[in-house]
Amino acid sequence: MDFIEVTLKVDAEYADILTAELGELGFDAFVETEDGFSAYIDEDKFSEEDLKEVFHRYAALVQVEYTTQKIERQNWNEEWERNFEPLFIGEQVSVRASFHEKPANAKYDIVINPKMSFGTGHHETTTLMIENQLTLSHQGKRVLDMGCGTGILAIMAGELGASEIVAVEIEDWTVENARENAELNGYENIDVRLGGAETIEGDKAYDIILANINRNVLLEDMPAYKAVLAPQGWLLLSGFYTEDLPIIQERATELGLNYISHRVKNNWVSAIFRASES
């Protein structure tokens, strides 16, 4: 049986939602692209009518452009490798799939098999978050990764020496993938939880909180993050555009968080905030 590849050009804010919707249709592999993502399904399971019905439901919220093509099964590995190129972030971090060779010059080497989850490092927000992580000491710290996707940021925290790591995701298949990737990188002790901000209520304080989600979820959940952030703890946020930074900063100020800095890549932002001493 051959595969059908559907390549979508879509706003990243809705990429996770559409990934989940396509997963319900039988798509079982997803690869991030610069403008959206590609999804793969066995040819006999593919229905363009069902695909269009999904896009129609979201038509009022987001514009989706897509193309389809047939891929012969014997070319699947070649197609996967063509779409998932290894990365080098911050001149220190290698991000690759298990079928890529380990680079000799990487200080940190992260292996990600994304399956249906986002977070291979190819999207600007993931890259920006990792670049910001590299500026902070994680050694012996307690770290929380909200909206963990593949678990890449949680794994990066482990590479940087974090002693306790909790990762949270809303989809059960994403939780499974994050656990697999954590184990693949030797971090079986990462606590991957299914759910949202409610799962961290009452947790022991975190020294560093990472949240790469989207503007609306961040604005809604920032009070929950602040409630479990240690004095002088760090909050790293991404998943929003430069024009959204002022409203994120305003919300942080309301919560007593101090703006430290931010990075920008192709209009995407990752910002660093810090809690006061008490």
Side-chain angles (χ1 to χ4, degrees):
M1 185 65 62
D2 295 327
F3 295 92
I4 299 295
E5 176 193 67
V6 178
T7 299
L8 290 80
K9 184 177 181 180
V10 61
D11 190 315
E13 184 174 348
Y14 288 91
D16 282 343
I17 296 172
L18 291 176
T19 298
E21 292 280 7
L22 268 57
E24 293 295 321
L25 296 182
F27 287 81
D28 58 7
F30 298 82
V31 179
E32 292 176 75
T33 64
E34 289 186 0
D35 299 320
F37 63 94
S38 295
Y40 300 87
I41 188 172
D42 287 337
E43 185 180 16
D44 65 340
K45 297 179 181 177
F46 177 66
S47 166
E48 189 154 10
E49 182 179 337
D50 290 345
L51 189 68
K52 289 180 177 178
E53 196 277 327
V54 168
F55 297 155
H56 177 72
R57 293 206 306 269
Y58 289 90
L61 299 173
V62 62
Q63 180 180 355
V64 180
E65 299 176 18
Y66 75 96
T67 59
T68 64
Q69 69 166 325
K70 180 179 176 179
I71 300 173
E72 295 182 4
R73 179 170 288 273
Q74 58 264 36
N75 295 331
W76 171 248
N77 286 339
E78 177 183 344
E79 189 70 18
W80 182 255
E81 293 184 29
R82 178 180 67 81
N83 280 289
F84 188 6
E85 293 294 331
L87 292 176
F88 215 78
I89 299 173
E91 300 182 349
Q92 298 184 63
V93 184
S94 165
V95 180
R96 61 185 176 91
S98 56
F99 49 73
H100 295 133
E101 290 188 10
K102 180 180 179 179
N105 59 337
K107 184 176 182 179
Y108 307 105
D109 180 44
I110 298 177
V111 179
I112 295 294
N113 289 331
K115 293 189 176 180
M116 293 172 61
S117 305
F118 267 68
T120 60
H122 288 76
H123 195 274
E124 290 89 343
T125 58
T126 313
T127 299
L128 290 167
M129 288 289 283
I130 288 176
E131 289 176 345
N132 273 335
Q133 281 185 269
L134 290 170
T135 69
L136 300 181
S137 171
H138 287 56
Q139 193 66 44
K141 305 296 186 182
R142 180 169 161 81
V143 178
L144 171 65
D145 179 9
M146 295 296 298
C148 66
T150 59
I152 185 171
L153 301 183
I155 294 166
M156 186 72 247
E159 290 287 297
L160 291 170
S163 58
E164 296 181 67
I165 306 169
V166 174
V168 179
E169 250 297 345
I170 61 172
E171 299 288 349
D172 52 4
W173 44 264
T174 307
V175 168
E176 180 182 351
N177 184 223
R179 287 171 177 161
E180 290 173 351
N181 285 320
E183 183 176 354
L184 184 63
N185 287 272
Y187 296 105
E188 296 91 342
N189 60 330
I190 293 178
D191 177 10
V192 186
R193 302 176 184 174
L194 175 63
E198 76 284 351
T199 66
I200 62 172
E201 185 177 351
D203 277 6
K204 186 172 72 173
Y206 294 94
D207 302 295
I208 300 172
I209 298 178
L210 315 166
N212 181 15
I213 308 178
N214 65 57
R215 189 196 74 163
N216 292 339
V217 173
L218 293 176
L219 291 172
E220 181 178 349
D221 290 352
M222 281 172 69
Y225 306 157
K226 175 59 168 58
V228 293
L229 185 62
Q232 293 194 297
W234 301 93
L235 176 63
L236 279 60
L237 303 179
S238 193
F240 55 92
Y241 300 113
T242 52
E243 55 265 33
D244 298 320
L245 181 58
I247 192 172
I248 295 289
Q249 290 176 305
E250 181 181 356
R251 186 67 165 139
T253 300
E254 292 172 355
L255 294 168
L257 297 168
N258 301 305
Y259 164 77
I260 302 300
S261 64
H262 72 276
R263 296 172 183 266
V264 179
K265 187 175 183 180
N266 295 331
N267 203 40
W268 290 99
V269 177
S270 176
I272 301 178
F273 298 91
R274 194 173 193 185
S276 59
E277 293 187 11
S278 59

